[in-house]
């Protein structure tokens, strides 16, 4: 949840970490924060019993923290990460992550995200929108966000993706949201943004992977349709799932009504996933996510 | 919904039919009932626009119906079914359909159905339970229902299924419910009960078909698990879907907790499907169901 | 569902009616349509057994209908409505109903509706937005819709509502949507738009009527929060309910997160209700709705 | 979730505690467990920011714990509880809590719980069932559980409740489940089992408190019905809510079908709450619950 603090001038630190499970990790980390003057605001932890991995997200107020912000990561790495074989990331909530949106022709997910962004609900910057079609330029213009049309076909894919990557680099983009972007991204591109590209697929994965899931759902005669947001990996529709939801349908529905009903699912499921990502609440391990709330 | 009438001594007729769509079918059928003194209690219809097929379920009170019960089917066939190329079934609600339950080792679906049956919620008779294991005999005994252990392996399958079929015949079984029966039924058996064998599969089909769907769901890292009740066809887990539902899970769940959480889904989804079948509310057409409510 | 037909140049008629239940009504109405050359596209009916009232919605293609459009209502009234004591409304889907939106300071419902409107999903015109605050003028401007600030307090309520009513009259408004409009409308105003003002209340009514329902929900410690769209009547939050939905919460939620999570519910529940209204799928009888799908 | 360990011979300790929030509590408690040789299996914590209360549930393996089981509580009280103003309860999972079920005439909740109990899903003993009606004696007999009919009216209430309390005492009952028990329990009785009587109410509280909630829901025309499990307090239907859920209904439903559809909700919602109680996952504070999962 990304309810923006308006009054508080404080900066918080957010630590996401995982390591082989062993007794005492929580005590060690909370002790590090406490003895250095940090005030823990949230602590969530999870143990994957099968993999024997410990996951934690801890957020603390830095007001009276005695270690300078730019030294915390070093200190933590030196004192603990090596000793406990931790992988960790440290974030500060006074930095707004920078997000690019990729779209094609459907506007519902784009509108939903821009409405939240404009209302100040998300701690994020959206410096640009990229599309392989000009159709949604009018939406971008309504919200005063630069819209780049970069059409892609089999022949020009490599060079056009190079154009996109240059745009992302120039705009210092931290992560990318594919908001019903109907174009497969190359492995080379994906590997530059590992666990940093969020896609919305219009089915309850792993059912109906690939193209035209609503047609496939109609054919199969299912009684529920779904949507799935996930990080993009090089294997199509097979990346770590962040969020899923479904809506009940019936024999009365046609493919058209499935498409239409699915849109509300898609936009809500995608926005929930993007929000979790912005709020640094997702850990990825072996193609699965730990999503704290 | 199968709320049994206790006071009413009246018999109702239920007509399930489908035919190529054309103007005036509703008028023709309702007119037939009205002019012969029937009082329509429920009428549900559906047009499959893609297949151009008209489906209808109509239920009427026979108290003042002037055609004798055993002649209605003949009259309707002669007067309308041929003319409009209708497929139809006629039922009377004073007949209790006879249902056999097949189980293996898990009791949750069995208990859920027997509790409803014993409480008088379902207009059905359950003359026997068949299992490939002795484990649930104690459950059957609690409810005074004969329990037949018919163990099956690759070698004896044909002859053991013959034993089962003979038991079903003797008990005048109308339809079969596989309540987590962990044994694949032969095509020859299935073809004797077309759209009359209801199975519960512990996933949101078509995801995770086949064995161990909870393990597969855990591996994939989905955020929902599901259950699907469907009619059994000769293609495994691919028959017409009657009902589906899901429950939300998270990274905190293990395979064990998925199995456990799934049990509540399975029993409710299966019982809903069985109830719809008992109440003659399901029409099957080309591997899909029309389920009226 | 409001999937707009793009190709079809045909006009459809939609009849919404209710009358005391009696045998043969369906046959009478469908016969009227058939014999005059209409092709029935959808027919939904419902009998309220307790009130003994028959409800029907029937939609038919007028292409070959031999009664002129502007005479259908007269003919139907003369031939049937009187005889069967029917109340009915007749609509043509080539007319776009005209909708006014009232807002205060929160933008989520407004954005959700304008996104659907702009994408052409709804068969409606939105000629104006009225607010008691200037805050959302920027949203209206993004979508090029006139925004009228009409501030209201106890002293000026009567005259300000007169200004509003005049604006609605000039703009030929058919119905009004209160999209989190935080101002109670006078009975005199409401009575001018009977069952034509749709409100969204941020609770699962009848729980938490009145002000600050999320605070009340938090205080009570509920495990679900809800939203309810309903027609506005002179009794506060007590009008006919059109649609409701809920989302699961937990002890981890604060009032702030309830408010935030509730927003997604509110916008979806309100938009579903508005869509049903636009598509002429709602019948109101004795403070309850029949909503066809 | 109450998946019973079959293989493990180990005993676990479960500590439920709350205290005024202050830095370092987690570190203090986990340190206590770690230095004494305990292996933490689960740790869940929650801070109520409004009340400034810290809640925690921690479960650890006692295999190598150096403090004897019967001393842990004393030590913890002496070393920490006083210092941090903690309220706490300590449980051992090798003790099966003893549960009494109170019923009236409806069997669905009773069957659901007994099916789970008989299948070994719950770590609980059910030594007796008490009812104000003889109707469900046959259910109790099926499961070989003593069934006591104690009819209650205005005149005999005090003495009959004395009989019940004596039965509970003799059977060393730890907590009571009201499984659609249609009788109001006296404040004197309730105060003997604070937060130890679980009720199921057939509405989404606080909507439709008191008698006949389905009739009230039907009258109001809601589009969802619900069920709520809660601890019983002396204020009717106003105790701390443990679990709620809803099911979608429509204008097609009658009071009878609401009652029927509600039964599946009631049994699942009640069983979930009972399970959380058995598994020591519920903390109560100021008429609200913290329910860990």
């Amino acid at each position: 949840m990304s309810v923006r603090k308006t009054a508080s001038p404080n900066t918080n630190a957010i630590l996401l970490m995982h390591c082989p499970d062993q007794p005492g990790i929580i005590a060690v980390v909370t002790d590090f924060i406490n003895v250095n003057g940090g005030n823990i605001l949230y602590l969530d932890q999870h143990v994957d019993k099968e993999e024997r991995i410990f996951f934690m997200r801890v957020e603390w107020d830095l007001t009276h923290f005695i270690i300078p912000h730019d030294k915390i990561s070093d200190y933590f790495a030196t004192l603990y990460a090596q000793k406990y074989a931790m992988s960790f990331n440290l974030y500060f909530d006074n930095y707004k992550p920078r997000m690019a949106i990729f779209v094609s022709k459907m506007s519902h997910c784009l509108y939903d995200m821009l409405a939240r962004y404009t209302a100040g609900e998300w701690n994020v910057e959206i410096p640009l929108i990229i599309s392989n079609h000009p159709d949604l330029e009018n939406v971008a213009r309504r919200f005063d966000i630069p819209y780049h049309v970069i059409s892609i076909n089999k022949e020009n894919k490599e060079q056009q993706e190079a154009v996109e990557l240059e745009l992302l680099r120039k705009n210092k983009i931290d992560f990318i949201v594919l908001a019903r972007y109907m174009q497969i991204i190359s492995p080379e591109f994906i590997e530059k943004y590992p666990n940093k590209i969020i896609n919305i697929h219009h089915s309850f994965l792993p059912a109906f992977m690939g193209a035209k899931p609503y047609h496939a759902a109609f054919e199969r005669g299912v009684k529920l349709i779904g949507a799935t947001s996930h990080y993009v990996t090089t294997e199509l529709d097979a990346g770590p799932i962040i969020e899923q939801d479904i809506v009940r349908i019936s024999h009365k529905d046609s493919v058209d009504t499935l498409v239409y009903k699915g849109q509300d699912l898609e936009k809500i499921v995608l926005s929930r996933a993007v929000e979790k990502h912005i709020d640094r609440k997702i850990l990825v391990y072996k193609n699965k996510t730990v999503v704290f709330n």
Side-chain angles (χ1 to χ4, degrees), chain A:
Chain A
M1 243 277 320
S2 204
V3 180
R4 285 303 98 209
K5 41 180 187 177
T6 47
S8 162
N10 302 350
T11 301
N12 297 336
I14 299 160
L15 177 76
L16 289 178
M17 58 142 289
H18 65 81
C19 64
D21 189 28
Q22 58 193 287
I25 301 271
I26 296 176
V28 160
V29 176
T30 59
D31 193 57
F32 165 73
I33 296 168
N34 288 325
V35 301
N36 291 300
N39 180 26
I40 293 175
L41 300 170
Y42 299 98
L43 183 151
D44 283 297
Q45 50 82 42
H46 168 63
V47 178
D48 184 324
K49 305 259 174 206
E50 192 154 283
E51 302 279 351
R52 307 193 68 77
I53 301 292
F54 174 83
F55 298 88
M56 189 161 70
R57 180 190 186 279
V58 58
E59 184 170 349
W60 71 98
D61 184 334
L62 291 170
T63 308
H64 304 292
F65 204 60
I66 59 176
I67 306 173
H69 298 192
D70 59 348
K71 297 283 169 77
I72 300 172
S73 191
D74 271 7
Y75 276 44
F76 190 79
T78 308
L79 294 170
Y80 306 106
Q82 213 169 345
K83 181 171 174 189
Y84 294 99
M86 288 178 188
S87 296
F88 78 95
N89 282 297
L90 183 74
Y91 304 99
F92 299 100
D93 75 346
N94 61 352
Y95 172 75
K96 285 185 188 235
R98 296 172 68 82
M99 154 179 163
I101 303 178
F102 282 45
V103 293
S104 289
K105 295 184 172 179
M106 303 187 80
S107 62
H108 55 289
C109 291
L110 181 60
Y111 268 124
D112 196 70
M113 290 192 289
L114 296 183
R116 293 171 200 265
Y117 173 55
T118 308
E121 291 170 11
W122 284 355
N123 187 36
V124 78
E125 291 292 345
I126 304 180
L128 85 164
I129 296 168
I130 289 175
S131 180
N132 54 342
H133 293 286
D135 303 54
L136 300 182
E137 180 149 26
N138 73 87
V139 180
R141 204 182 307 120
R142 285 180 208 274
F143 292 85
D144 300 317
I145 298 174
Y147 184 89
H148 302 265
V149 180
I150 302 176
S151 66
I152 291 191
N153 55 43
K154 275 180 197 165
E155 286 69 40
N156 71 7
K157 186 156 190 164
E158 194 177 337
Q159 74 198 63
Q160 292 296 69
E161 284 198 344
V163 173
E164 290 173 348
L165 285 166
E166 177 59 16
L167 266 173
L168 298 176
R169 197 191 57 74
K170 268 193 199 158
N171 283 279
K172 293 175 183 156
I173 292 303
D174 293 301
F175 72 104
I176 298 162
V177 177
L178 309 183
R180 296 298 312 276
Y181 180 64
M182 308 305 276
Q183 181 72 36
I184 292 173
I185 294 178
S186 74
E188 295 71 30
F189 189 122
I190 292 168
E191 279 159 11
K192 288 198 171 62
Y193 289 89
N195 296 327
K196 287 180 176 167
I197 306 175
I198 299 172
N199 185 42
I200 180 72
H201 184 77
H202 37 316
S203 80
F204 47 85
L205 289 175
F208 309 124
M209 289 192 282
K212 293 196 172 287
Y214 291 128
H215 287 77
F218 179 80
E219 277 310 306
R220 180 62 187 91
V222 292
K223 300 299 183 186
L224 313 167
I225 54 168
T228 304
S229 55
H230 62 95
Y231 286 118
V232 174
T233 58
T234 54
E235 195 180 339
L236 186 66
D237 297 334
I241 292 171
I242 304 168
E243 171 70 348
Q244 298 187 287
D245 212 343
I246 58 96
V247 70
R248 187 163 285 275
I249 61 166
S250 81
H251 59 268
K252 294 187 184 177
D253 285 291
S254 62
V255 172
D256 282 351
T257 65
L258 295 194
V259 169
Y260 189 72
K261 287 182 178 179
Q263 290 183 8
D264 280 351
L265 268 185
E266 294 162 23
K267 73 188 188 194
I268 299 295
V269 168
L270 179 58
S271 287
R272 278 188 205 148
V274 170
E275 190 163 290
K276 290 288 187 186
H277 185 91
I278 293 171
D279 290 348
R280 321 294 194 181
K281 294 200 167 170
I282 311 175
L283 281 150
V284 177
Y285 185 78
K286 281 197 175 181
N287 212 45
K288 291 166 75 168
T289 61
V290 170
V291 182
F292 290 119
N293 60 6

